[in-house]
Amino acid sequence: MGQKFAAIFLTVFLTFLTLSSLPAEEGMYPITEIDKLPLKQLGFAISAEDIFSENHVSLSDAIVKLGGCTGSFISPDGLILTNHHCAYRAIQDASTPEHDFLAEGFVAYERSQEFPAKGYTVRITQQVRDVSSQVLQAVRGVDDPLQREKAIEKKMKELVKQAEAQHPGLRAEVAEMFPGETYYLFLYVYLKDVRLVYAPPSSVGNYGGEVDNWEWPRHTGDFSLMRAYVAPDGSPAEYSKDNVPFHPKKFLQIARQGAEKGDRVFILGYPGRTYRHRTSAFLDFEYTTHMPFVVQWYNRQIDLLHKLGANHPARALKFKSRIKGLANTEKNYRGKLQGIRRLHLIDQKRAQEQTILHYIARDAQRQKRYGRVLPQIDSIFTRYKKTARRDWLLGYLARSVDALGLAWTVVKAAEERQKPDLERETAFMDRNFERTKMYAAMRLKNFDAQADKMLLLDLLHMMKALPDSLQIPEVVRRFALNEDEEKTKQIIDTLYARTRITDKETLMHLLTQTPQELQTSQDPAVQLMLALKPVYAALKERNQRRSGALRRLRAQWLKIKKEFLKKDFIPDANGTYRMTFGFVEGYSPRDAVYDHPITTPRGILEKNTGQAPFNAPDALLTLLRKEQFGPYISRTTGTLPIDILYSTDTTGGNSGSPVLNAKGELVGLNFDRTFEATINDFAWNHAYSRSIGVDIRYLLFLLKDYAKAQKLLKEMGR
Amino acid sequence: MGQKFAAIFLTVFLTFLTLSSLPAEEGMYPITEIDKLPLKQLGFAISAEDIFSENHVSLSDAIVKLGGCTGSFISPDGLILTNHHCAYRAIQDASTPEHDFLAEGFVAYERSQEFPAKGYTVRITQQVRDVSSQVLQAVRGVDDPLQREKAIEKKMKELVKQAEAQHPGLRAEVAEMFPGETYYLFLYVYLKDVRLVYAPPSSVGNYGGEVDNWEWPRHTGDFSLMRAYVAPDGSPAEYSKDNVPFHPKKFLQIARQGAEKGDRVFILGYPGRTYRHRTSAFLDFEYTTHMPFVVQWYNRQIDLLHKLGANHPARALKFKSRIKGLANTEKNYRGKLQGIRRLHLIDQKRAQEQTILHYIARDAQRQKRYGRVLPQIDSIFTRYKKTARRDWLLGYLARSVDALGLAWTVVKAAEERQKPDLERETAFMDRNFERTKMYAAMRLKNFDAQADKMLLLDLLHMMKALPDSLQIPEVVRRFALNEDEEKTKQIIDTLYARTRITDKETLMHLLTQTPQELQTSQDPAVQLMLALKPVYAALKERNQRRSGALRRLRAQWLKIKKEFLKKDFIPDANGTYRMTFGFVEGYSPRDAVYDHPITTPRGILEKNTGQAPFNAPDALLTLLRKEQFGPYISRTTGTLPIDILYSTDTTGGNSGSPVLNAKGELVGLNFDRTFEATINDFAWNHAYSRSIGVDIRYLLFLLKDYAKAQKLLKEMGR
């Protein structure tokens, strides 16, 4: 299975490198590929089987996907370690008017105090199967890009259904590893009763906030503890007070001595998306068109929400996590833009592509088969550039504007739920619909009509400014974009005065309607989205057609690139289970600067202004000033380590991943990357790609000396 | 002379330290004190006499004060090296509608092309005399603080007049070294014909602009060349085309090999002001009251000027250097505020003062004599805090608002010019009045009525918001602050519509008027300032009375502190000629970060976005990418050095100071400090006090390969 990856480069590894000179390496290795790695030479004290095995208990039994994050079991009773920012919503939900647990921190001294984290699930990878041949069989002879897309989607759904029938209790997913070429089926255990156990106050767990986000040196205690529960018989079950703690097959051992500069570390987890195999046209499109648009639109949203929240504390609280999310992406994209510019990534890619084009042109047969691949990809992006802004604005209309987004879910639900299950969009399949409804309900929680109206008006402004050829007549007409702005404002005011879609009961009712029933709905938001249905349908078709064409072209390009370079590649991250390794090491983020890989209490004391986000609790400051760090002192820095830096290859989704030493013991908790490493999604490089974790010793120190959570420490074997 | 300074610490030096472990040292040593320093042990290859001597030619004959900056002669024909930012106004003046030399850079390939830098003078220190006894004699028996202030001022003027009579052609100045205790008379040569020879474009000379200002790592080529001219007979003279280049007694030799990490360096120059001997009450006043006010007011001005200039390029150009100045101070103060907080400077000072108070209390005699000194200083600042904001707003009315400022100069000139010369305020004495008139005329150049009105309105807003007890009735009445704001605006509009003070001819005429003639003036700005004269007179008296009291108390406090610590001090910087030494060395500006002391072309290429302030000229970028740096390569970094960092003790006024190696050869050009070192003005510390200079090799590379100024290089002996 999967022998295609990780081939020639291994030989190089074994031939030239000695242990001491082994560098950190690019690569989020699919878990099924690590048995090809020379682990011993890389300094590992454990085998591939110790890390992942379908037949034996391995470290992987302790690794979970938790929402969009990673987590790991660290006790026999299902205690899970993940990031503070991954548990953010649960902490917010647990809060009451009397107790803001984001501000105070949350401690369940007893299990009965553990708070059900609604919407959280825990997923453990059980098996992986190569299903490439079945998937590709489905598109053999199909030429139309749209039909190909649909055929692949359908086949993947069938494979899932089939696998789940064969393995009752497990959940299946098919993931595309290489576009149009390799597909894996993953079988997962899902646990649905997850509870919040411990979270430090935000002034520790999110110390430095947006200012320090994506930055090193860092001083954030970004961790939290949760616990997975199952039915008394051990089977996965929804929350019930009768449930019992889950007993994982494996939980991680804590390396109390932590890790020091130069130590080998590795990371297991679920990295989200990377785009390293894309061509220069894609990168150019991102650099010139997509990312600047997102940065602009997100900044507009942030400004607007800040302004609205300025003198309204209650409102500001509602916007907090939304702004946090927007700012996180905005800064990430700025980092990427800087990286592409500084590293001349587009020119680099183009130069490589030129040599491949020359290689292709040297052989008539090759020229015939591959000569048009790159020009075709280029021309797709050239065309896309012209209309992309319109398409995105349309997309954000149903994404950033809650009332319209909910109405769109209602309209889609009515339509999709009529179809046979396998033909529906994923969100509306029986296996997902309950979750879709829950997410819709959760969206209501922070709804603010004023913000919603302002965002809608701003999107309409931008739509109005589009060239005539890109105007969407139905939008222009519905919002009177050809008339005075006052008129548009009036229409919006009326819409929000009349719609009931943001009322939970109404929303839930609407989500059960048939298309015929919806037609008679008087709700103006629903009416609007019904009217825009053809517009969105056309948009979807355009997108599918484009990605169908690109998928096929990218597969061909990868094939010829492989042939030319005579090497195999590691597939881009796609949310599936991966392993990456590196060292605890510093770097030079810019000329004349060297960043050490371990931070110390000095940094917290230096940064602390007493004002958020630099307002560590007084009790913690006092402890840090006392400098009685006992067993947690690093032997290289002589003081308590706070955060650590290492040269692994990570991306979003690796939040909450355990950082493990050569023996597979826990030395840290991954939570971020450096600003320079935001470019990881497009290109990894040993010089600047660094990830950031909480040092396990700071975590233990916080639990013991700050939180006095002795019981939890005991459970963790500390 | 001056044996009081530099006593005990020298013994410590000589006893304990070996050459290799000699640290950098706090201290801007008065030039007359360096013969007490163990220069040889400190690694100097030259003697104190080589650095300063009244009888022999020394390095000091090559060091000049140039406006508020320092400069140095670097050729036998009077070529002066100073900073780009020191020559800024001259470069701006040289510019024409056809040539913006700030943007293009300025090169005089021939001497005839050198541009007269109006308003610039060059000052060379000739002699220094201790005149403490004469000055202090004048206040013996005088008890009233106001009378003491006046007596000291008068005595200093007399000493100046007397010295200048004795030394025709020289200019004298008396400087207070220790408050109320030590006074030095300096004799200076003044050269008045200074011309601009070379300036790189701002995109080199001010690379990084406000973003990088006060920051390390730095990549700025902040240098320019000027030339001093004299009459054909060698005497100082105003500009004339018949003048000839000045031949200095000494010019600096250039150390082509530059300086590397760990090398001894020293700096000669004219540091402006430090406040290290002040008490905690002063520091607390600065921290809680003065600096926050300045930061706020300067930010308001910057915002306002930015807004006004937003869509008016011509206006934006007028505001450029003003915004630059405001932003420079604003960021400096932010740095200081951060430094005071992080270093707990106020607590530190207080703790030291407590031990001194205990020492005082242990002896009845001491208690009687010194017991009240510190409490009295404290109570002066407690009182001052209550009214300071009103006083400053009043001050800025005649400082930030050009029309009112000019009117105030006119009113003061009429009054002061009536008095005997020695009794006038310095600016209106015969020896200074021409210069005062020239500065007034220069103020007109960037005058903008709209900005002036907005600033005035903003100051009035802030005055209106003062507590009732601080309202100034005359201001309230004149600007109708008790009425609707529209009324205030109307008054301002009328004022600006009618005043002619911003017309150069009118202004120059008004500056010749007697008080009686002014009374009949119809100009509303003049009328206003005449009406406010008693208000400003009261303000001046308050200030003089306070500083008189403080001067005496500070002298007493310093005396008892010296007695307690059993050591002498180095006087605070006061614009007089000083020497400071240190090493080329990096530092850790914050936890887990180490900054190397030499930057490289990598930094320019990394920072360059193509947008100001990171828009290095293409020709330079091409040269840097070529990496052909020949003789300018640093042997430690292996590439061209750009800027260097060193642990000397500097402050504002050291801009343009030469950085010299142990042999007294030029290795760099000082132009800035690090953000952490803005706190230098209050406390120097080896851990964080670092100054920043252009590496001489970058300077030579720019002249040779970028500017192709071979003739100038030849003149400099390169």
Side-chain angles (χ1 to χ4, degrees):
Chain A
M1 171 183 54
Q3 298 84 343
K4 301 167 187 174
F5 317 142
I8 290 154
F9 76 97
L10 292 181
T11 331
V12 178
F13 244 139
L14 297 169
T15 317
F16 294 115
L17 300 172
T18 65
L19 182 57
S20 65
S21 73
L22 279 174
E25 261 293 298
E26 170 168 9
M28 303 173 180
Y29 292 87
I31 201 68
T32 50
E33 297 303 310
I34 55 170
D35 55 350
K36 316 289 183 321
L37 282 167
L39 290 180
K40 206 166 175 181
Q41 283 89 332
L42 288 166
F44 284 83
I46 51 175
S47 70
E49 282 264 301
D50 293 331
I51 298 173
F52 177 71
S53 164
E54 293 193 0
N55 308 312
H56 308 289
V57 171
S58 67
L59 283 177
S60 296
D61 291 307
I63 310 301
V64 305
K65 180 161 176 168
L66 185 90
C69 292
T70 300
S72 51
F73 289 117
I74 54 167
S75 92
D77 285 348
L79 197 61
I80 296 170
L81 175 65
T82 189
N83 291 144
H84 183 269
H85 75 264
C86 296
Y88 193 90
R89 199 162 37 74
I91 309 168
Q92 199 174 28
D93 280 354
S95 298
T96 60
E98 292 75 37
H99 286 288
D100 175 358
F101 292 118
L102 282 169
E104 298 167 21
F106 179 92
V107 199
Y109 290 103
E110 303 297 332
R111 296 215 173 141
S112 60
Q113 298 170 322
E114 295 177 0
F115 184 85
K118 215 173 148 189
Y120 280 79
T121 56
V122 153
R123 186 179 96 174
I124 313 164
T125 299
Q126 295 293 101
Q127 292 182 20
V128 192
R129 302 273 167 265
D130 188 340
V131 293
S132 308
S133 57
Q134 287 104 303
V135 174
L136 295 178
Q137 179 67 33
V139 287
R140 197 153 295 166
V142 184
D143 218 52
D144 177 67
L146 186 60
Q147 293 314 314
R148 286 180 69 91
E149 277 303 275
K150 288 185 171 167
I152 289 177
E153 200 189 312
K154 182 150 176 264
K155 176 48 99 183
M156 283 163 74
K157 283 177 182 161
E158 283 168 9
L159 288 167
V160 164
K161 191 167 186 180
Q162 196 180 319
E164 289 184 352
Q166 275 168 18
H167 300 274
L170 297 190
R171 223 174 130 94
E173 265 172 47
V174 175
E176 183 183 69
M177 304 306 280
F178 284 115
E181 192 185 325
T182 326
Y183 296 83
Y184 279 10
L185 181 136
F186 291 80
L187 279 167
Y188 298 112
V189 172
Y190 261 83
L191 307 180
K192 297 171 214 168
D193 183 356
V194 184
R195 304 187 194 171
L196 181 64
V197 177
Y198 175 77
S202 294
S203 57
V204 173
N206 188 29
Y207 190 72
E210 285 320 313
V211 182
D212 271 9
N213 193 17
W214 303 112
E215 301 283 348
W216 180 262
R218 197 64 161 277
H219 300 85
T220 312
D222 192 351
F223 82 102
S224 65
L225 299 174
M226 304 185 96
R227 191 188 302 282
Y229 282 78
V230 286
D233 68 356
S235 65
E238 297 287 345
Y239 169 78
S240 154
K241 65 178 177 40
D242 299 328
N243 284 352
V244 296
F246 172 68
H247 300 301
K249 285 190 226 163
K250 177 84 182 177
F251 63 90
L252 299 180
Q253 297 297 321
I254 290 169
R256 192 164 164 171
Q257 76 286 9
E260 304 290 346
K261 184 174 166 181
D263 284 358
R264 163 66 72 199
V265 288
F266 72 103
I267 277 179
L268 296 168
Y270 292 91
R273 287 254 159 242
T274 57
Y275 307 89
R276 299 188 193 153
H277 295 309
R278 304 288 175 100
T279 65
S280 64
F282 167 80
L283 212 57
D284 169 80
F285 177 77
E286 286 292 314
Y287 184 70
T288 62
T289 311
H290 182 227
M291 291 195 295
F293 170 82
V294 173
V295 167
Q296 185 205 22
W297 168 230
Y298 279 32
N299 272 322
R300 288 171 87 127
Q301 290 182 78
I302 292 168
D303 283 355
L304 207 144
L305 295 175
H306 270 310
K307 247 181 245 163
L308 269 181
N311 294 310
H312 302 268
R315 207 172 232 167
L317 200 70
K318 265 205 277 188
F319 297 160
K320 209 169 163 180
S321 100
R322 186 169 184 167
I323 290 175
K324 191 175 148 89
L326 292 166
N328 184 55
T329 302
E330 191 273 342
K331 192 165 178 185
N332 176 298
Y333 277 32
R334 268 193 290 125
K336 286 189 167 97
L337 286 165
Q338 177 186 295
I340 293 175
R341 178 177 60 72
R342 285 201 180 169
L343 302 165
H344 308 283
L345 270 194
I346 298 171
D347 288 346
Q348 260 185 47
K349 282 239 179 208
R350 268 200 197 120
Q352 196 201 35
E353 286 164 5
Q354 282 308 314
T355 58
I356 298 175
L357 286 177
H358 287 306
Y359 167 74
I360 293 171
R362 281 209 302 276
D363 179 293
Q365 203 49 28
R366 272 203 301 264
Q367 177 63 20
K368 191 165 171 244
R369 194 153 169 210
Y370 295 109
R372 301 264 311 126
V373 175
L374 202 69
Q376 278 178 349
I377 294 178
D378 287 355
S379 83
I380 287 177
F381 281 106
T382 306
R383 273 201 311 278
Y384 190 18
K385 267 189 191 177
K386 291 181 191 152
T387 64
R389 198 175 165 87
R390 188 242 347 245
D391 291 355
W392 293 326
L393 289 172
L394 201 53
Y396 279 109
L397 213 59
R399 198 173 138 189
S400 303
V401 183
D402 284 328
L404 302 195
L406 291 169
W408 182 239
T409 304
V410 163
V411 168
K412 287 298 286 182
E415 180 179 347
E416 295 287 318
R417 300 284 296 160
Q418 302 297 306
K419 301 180 187 170
D421 197 46
L422 280 187
E423 287 170 28
R424 295 178 199 162
E425 285 185 14
T426 319
F428 303 99
M429 291 170 73
D430 286 340
R431 61 205 291 273
N432 298 318
F433 192 52
E434 278 313 306
R435 189 150 293 265
T436 300
K437 286 203 283 190
M438 190 185 65
Y439 286 138
M442 278 162 49
R443 206 165 171 175
L444 294 180
K445 196 162 176 177
N446 288 323
F447 174 76
D448 182 273
Q450 199 54 31
D452 224 39
K453 284 155 78 172
M454 302 276 282
L455 291 173
L456 172 54
L457 186 65
D458 203 37
L459 284 167
L460 292 173
H461 270 157
M462 290 192 274
M463 286 179 144
K464 196 171 173 174
L466 289 170
D468 284 350
S469 62
L470 295 181
Q471 293 294 332
I472 306 158
E474 193 62 26
V475 173
V476 172
R477 204 174 62 73
R478 287 264 164 181
F479 289 101
L481 296 190
N482 279 340
E483 296 175 51
D484 193 70
E485 186 180 302
E486 284 310 309
K487 177 80 184 162
T488 304
K489 282 187 184 164
Q490 239 173 56
I491 293 170
I492 294 175
D493 284 341
T494 313
L495 175 72
Y496 279 83
R498 294 201 188 145
T499 183
R500 291 292 163 268
I501 193 121
T502 56
D503 167 69
K504 190 172 169 186
E505 212 171 309
T506 313
L507 175 63
M508 288 302 132
H509 173 70
L510 284 168
L511 279 168
T512 64
Q513 302 273 285
T514 64
Q516 293 72 31
E517 286 164 344
L518 270 197
Q519 288 297 348
T520 67
S521 162
Q522 296 299 311
D523 195 281
V526 172
Q527 288 296 334
L528 175 71
M529 292 323 264
L530 278 173
L532 290 178
K533 224 172 81 171
V535 177
Y536 281 101
L539 173 64
K540 186 181 168 189
E541 199 189 302
R542 273 201 303 280
N543 286 340
Q544 279 191 319
R545 193 174 285 282
R546 186 175 51 249
S547 55
L550 280 173
R551 174 163 284 120
R552 203 175 185 185
L553 289 163
R554 273 159 46 203
Q556 291 173 307
W557 183 250
L558 218 58
K559 200 172 259 175
I560 190 65
K561 191 169 154 186
K562 238 181 251 187
E563 182 185 316
F564 170 72
L565 293 175
K566 298 192 178 54
K567 78 170 201 176
D568 267 318
F569 307 110
I570 299 159
D572 267 317
N574 58 354
T576 61
Y577 188 41
R578 306 287 181 107
M579 186 262 226
T580 165
F581 52 91
F583 296 100
V584 175
E585 53 177 324
Y587 79 129
S588 171
R590 53 191 194 283
D591 184 35
V593 177
Y594 169 73
D595 284 354
H596 192 274
I598 306 181
T599 57
T600 78
R602 169 189 164 193
I604 298 181
L605 298 171
E606 272 176 355
K607 287 178 177 175
N608 213 71
T609 59
Q611 300 297 312
F614 297 107
N615 56 338
D618 285 339
L620 177 60
L621 294 173
T622 305
L623 284 170
L624 294 179
R625 285 202 195 96
K626 264 194 197 147
E627 297 191 354
Q628 288 166 3
F629 305 129
Y632 306 126
I633 290 177
S634 147
R635 71 181 155 73
T636 57
T637 67
T639 185
L640 177 72
I642 305 296
D643 288 342
I644 50 174
L645 191 74
Y646 34 85
S647 52
T648 57
D649 183 358
T650 67
T651 189
N654 273 124
S655 276
S657 275
V659 186
L660 303 160
N661 66 12
K663 291 190 256 176
E665 299 163 337
L666 191 66
V667 295
L669 174 66
N670 190 66
F671 71 91
D672 203 5
R673 276 171 290 157
T674 60
F675 194 63
E676 291 71 30
T678 53
I679 193 69
N680 263 15
D681 297 356
F682 300 131
W684 185 93
N685 187 301
H686 182 225
Y688 55 77
S689 286
R690 292 291 180 281
S691 301
I692 301 172
V694 184
D695 192 291
I696 194 70
R697 291 162 288 189
Y698 183 43
L699 196 154
L700 294 171
F701 165 80
L702 284 171
L703 284 176
K704 178 162 171 286
D705 291 338
Y706 175 72
K708 317 258 182 241
Q710 319 302 347
K711 218 166 170 178
L712 289 171
L713 281 167
K714 203 172 159 207
E715 185 184 339
M716 293 155 64
R718 283 289 125 217
Chain B
M1 173 181 56
Q3 298 83 342
K4 301 169 187 176
F5 318 144
I8 290 154
F9 77 95
L10 291 181
T11 332
V12 178
F13 244 139
L14 296 168
T15 319
F16 295 116
L17 300 172
T18 64
L19 180 60
S20 64
S21 72
L22 279 173
E25 261 295 297
E26 170 167 10
M28 303 173 180
Y29 292 87
I31 201 67
T32 50
E33 298 304 310
I34 55 171
D35 56 350
K36 315 290 184 319
L37 282 168
L39 289 180
K40 206 164 173 182
Q41 283 89 332
L42 288 167
F44 284 82
I46 52 175
S47 69
E49 282 264 301
D50 294 331
I51 298 173
F52 178 71
S53 164
E54 293 193 1
N55 309 311
H56 309 290
V57 170
S58 67
L59 283 177
S60 295
D61 291 307
I63 310 300
V64 305
K65 179 161 177 170
L66 185 91
C69 291
T70 300
S72 52
F73 289 118
I74 53 166
S75 92
D77 285 349
L79 197 61
I80 297 170
L81 175 64
T82 189
N83 291 144
H84 183 269
H85 76 264
C86 297
Y88 193 91
R89 200 162 35 75
I91 309 167
Q92 199 174 30
D93 279 354
S95 298
T96 60
E98 291 76 38
H99 287 288
D100 175 359
F101 292 120
L102 282 168
E104 298 166 21
F106 179 91
V107 199
Y109 290 103
E110 302 299 332
R111 296 220 173 139
S112 61
Q113 298 170 322
E114 296 176 1
F115 184 84
K118 217 174 146 189
Y120 281 78
T121 56
V122 154
R123 186 179 96 175
I124 314 164
T125 300
Q126 294 294 103
Q127 291 183 24
V128 191
R129 300 275 167 262
D130 188 339
V131 293
S132 309
S133 57
Q134 289 103 302
V135 174
L136 295 177
Q137 179 66 36
V139 288
R140 194 153 297 166
V142 183
D143 217 54
D144 177 67
L146 186 59
Q147 293 314 314
R148 286 180 70 92
E149 278 301 277
K150 289 185 171 168
I152 288 178
E153 201 189 313
K154 183 152 173 266
K155 177 47 100 185
M156 284 163 73
K157 284 178 183 161
E158 284 168 10
L159 288 167
V160 163
K161 191 168 185 181
Q162 193 179 320
E164 290 184 352
Q166 275 168 18
H167 300 273
L170 296 190
R171 225 176 129 93
E173 267 172 43
V174 175
E176 182 185 68
M177 304 306 281
F178 284 114
E181 192 185 327
T182 326
Y183 295 83
Y184 279 9
L185 181 136
F186 291 79
L187 281 167
Y188 299 112
V189 173
Y190 260 84
L191 307 180
K192 297 172 213 164
D193 182 356
V194 186
R195 304 187 194 171
L196 180 65
V197 178
Y198 176 78
S202 294
S203 56
V204 172
N206 188 28
Y207 189 73
E210 285 319 313
V211 182
D212 272 8
N213 193 17
W214 304 111
E215 302 282 350
W216 182 262
R218 199 64 159 277
H219 300 85
T220 312
D222 191 351
F223 82 102
S224 66
L225 299 174
M226 304 185 96
R227 191 187 303 282
Y229 281 78
V230 286
D233 67 357
S235 66
E238 297 286 345
Y239 169 79
S240 154
K241 65 178 177 37
D242 298 329
N243 284 350
V244 297
F246 172 69
H247 300 300
K249 288 190 224 161
K250 177 84 182 177
F251 62 90
L252 299 180
Q253 298 297 320
I254 289 168
R256 191 161 165 172
Q257 75 285 9
E260 303 290 346
K261 183 174 167 181
D263 284 358
R264 162 68 70 201
V265 289
F266 71 105
I267 277 178
L268 296 168
Y270 293 90
R273 286 255 160 240
T274 55
Y275 307 89
R276 298 189 193 155
H277 296 309
R278 304 290 175 98
T279 64
S280 63
F282 167 80
L283 212 59
D284 168 81
F285 177 77
E286 285 292 315
Y287 184 70
T288 61
T289 311
H290 182 229
M291 291 196 294
F293 170 83
V294 173
V295 167
Q296 185 206 23
W297 168 229
Y298 279 31
N299 272 322
R300 288 172 87 128
Q301 290 183 77
I302 293 168
D303 282 356
L304 207 144
L305 295 174
H306 270 310
K307 247 181 246 165
L308 270 180
N311 294 309
H312 301 269
R315 205 172 235 168
L317 199 70
K318 267 204 277 187
F319 297 160
K320 207 169 165 182
S321 101
R322 185 169 185 167
I323 290 176
K324 190 175 147 89
L326 291 166
N328 184 55
T329 302
E330 190 273 339
K331 192 166 178 185
N332 176 300
Y333 277 32
R334 268 193 290 126
K336 286 189 167 96
L337 287 166
Q338 178 187 293
I340 293 175
R341 178 176 61 71
R342 283 201 182 170
L343 303 165
H344 306 283
L345 270 194
I346 299 171
D347 288 346
Q348 260 184 46
K349 281 239 179 209
R350 269 201 195 120
Q352 196 202 34
E353 287 164 6
Q354 281 310 313
T355 58
I356 299 176
L357 286 177
H358 286 307
Y359 168 74
I360 293 172
R362 280 209 304 274
D363 180 292
Q365 203 50 25
R366 272 204 300 265
Q367 176 63 22
K368 191 165 170 244
R369 192 151 172 214
Y370 296 109
R372 301 264 311 127
V373 175
L374 201 70
Q376 279 179 348
I377 295 178
D378 287 355
S379 83
I380 287 177
F381 281 107
T382 306
R383 274 201 310 279
Y384 190 19
K385 268 189 190 176
K386 290 182 191 149
T387 64
R389 197 175 167 86
R390 187 247 341 252
D391 291 355
W392 293 325
L393 289 171
L394 200 53
Y396 279 110
L397 212 59
R399 198 171 138 191
S400 303
V401 183
D402 284 328
L404 303 195
L406 292 168
W408 183 239
T409 305
V410 163
V411 168
K412 287 297 288 181
E415 179 178 347
E416 295 287 317
R417 300 285 294 162
Q418 301 297 307
K419 301 180 185 169
D421 197 46
L422 280 186
E423 288 170 28
R424 296 178 198 160
E425 285 186 14
T426 319
F428 304 99
M429 290 171 72
D430 286 340
R431 60 206 293 271
N432 298 317
F433 192 53
E434 278 312 307
R435 190 151 292 263
T436 301
K437 287 203 282 188
M438 191 185 66
Y439 286 139
M442 277 163 50
R443 206 166 170 174
L444 294 179
K445 197 163 173 175
N446 288 323
F447 173 77
D448 181 274
Q450 198 56 32
D452 225 39
K453 285 155 78 171
M454 302 276 281
L455 291 173
L456 172 54
L457 186 65
D458 203 37
L459 284 167
L460 293 173
H461 270 157
M462 289 192 274
M463 286 180 143
K464 195 171 175 175
L466 289 170
D468 283 349
S469 62
L470 296 180
Q471 292 295 332
I472 307 157
E474 192 61 25
V475 174
V476 171
R477 204 174 61 74
R478 287 264 162 183
F479 289 102
L481 296 192
N482 280 339
E483 296 175 51
D484 193 68
E485 185 180 302
E486 283 311 308
K487 177 80 183 163
T488 304
K489 282 187 182 163
Q490 239 173 56
I491 293 170
I492 295 175
D493 284 342
T494 313
L495 175 73
Y496 279 83
R498 295 205 187 141
T499 184
R500 290 291 164 269
I501 194 121
T502 56
D503 167 68
K504 190 175 169 183
E505 214 171 309
T506 312
L507 174 64
M508 289 302 133
H509 173 69
L510 284 167
L511 279 168
T512 64
Q513 303 273 287
T514 64
Q516 294 71 30
E517 287 166 343
L518 268 198
Q519 289 296 349
T520 67
S521 162
Q522 297 299 311
D523 194 283
V526 173
Q527 288 296 335
L528 174 71
M529 293 322 264
L530 278 174
L532 290 179
K533 223 172 79 172
V535 177
Y536 281 101
L539 172 64
K540 186 182 167 187
E541 198 191 302
R542 273 202 301 280
N543 287 340
Q544 278 190 319
R545 193 175 285 282
R546 185 175 50 248
S547 55
L550 280 174
R551 173 163 286 117
R552 204 174 183 184
L553 289 164
R554 272 160 45 202
Q556 292 173 305
W557 184 249
L558 218 58
K559 199 170 261 173
I560 189 65
K561 191 169 155 186
K562 237 181 251 187
E563 183 186 315
F564 170 73
L565 292 175
K566 299 193 177 52
K567 76 170 201 178
D568 266 318
F569 307 111
I570 298 158
D572 268 317
N574 58 353
T576 61
Y577 187 41
R578 307 286 181 108
M579 185 261 227
T580 165
F581 52 92
F583 295 100
V584 175
E585 53 177 324
Y587 79 129
S588 171
R590 53 189 194 284
D591 184 37
V593 178
Y594 170 74
D595 284 355
H596 191 273
I598 305 180
T599 57
T600 78
R602 170 190 162 192
I604 298 181
L605 298 172
E606 272 176 355
K607 286 177 177 176
N608 212 70
T609 59
Q611 301 297 310
F614 297 106
N615 55 338
D618 285 340
L620 177 59
L621 293 173
T622 305
L623 283 171
L624 294 179
R625 285 201 195 95
K626 264 194 196 147
E627 297 192 354
Q628 287 165 5
F629 305 127
Y632 307 125
I633 290 177
S634 147
R635 70 182 155 73
T636 57
T637 67
T639 184
L640 177 71
I642 305 297
D643 289 343
I644 50 174
L645 189 74
Y646 34 85
S647 51
T648 57
D649 184 359
T650 67
T651 189
N654 274 124
S655 277
S657 274
V659 185
L660 304 160
N661 65 13
K663 292 189 255 176
E665 300 164 336
L666 190 66
V667 296
L669 174 66
N670 191 64
F671 70 92
D672 203 6
R673 278 171 289 156
T674 59
F675 194 64
E676 290 72 29
T678 53
I679 193 69
N680 263 16
D681 297 357
F682 301 131
W684 186 92
N685 187 301
H686 182 226
Y688 55 78
S689 286
R690 291 291 180 282
S691 301
I692 301 171
V694 184
D695 193 290
I696 194 69
R697 291 163 288 190
Y698 183 44
L699 196 154
L700 294 171
F701 166 80
L702 284 171
L703 285 175
K704 179 164 171 285
D705 291 339
Y706 175 72
K708 318 258 182 238
Q710 319 301 349
K711 218 167 170 176
L712 289 170
L713 281 167
K714 205 174 157 205
E715 185 185 340
M716 294 155 64
R718 285 288 125 217

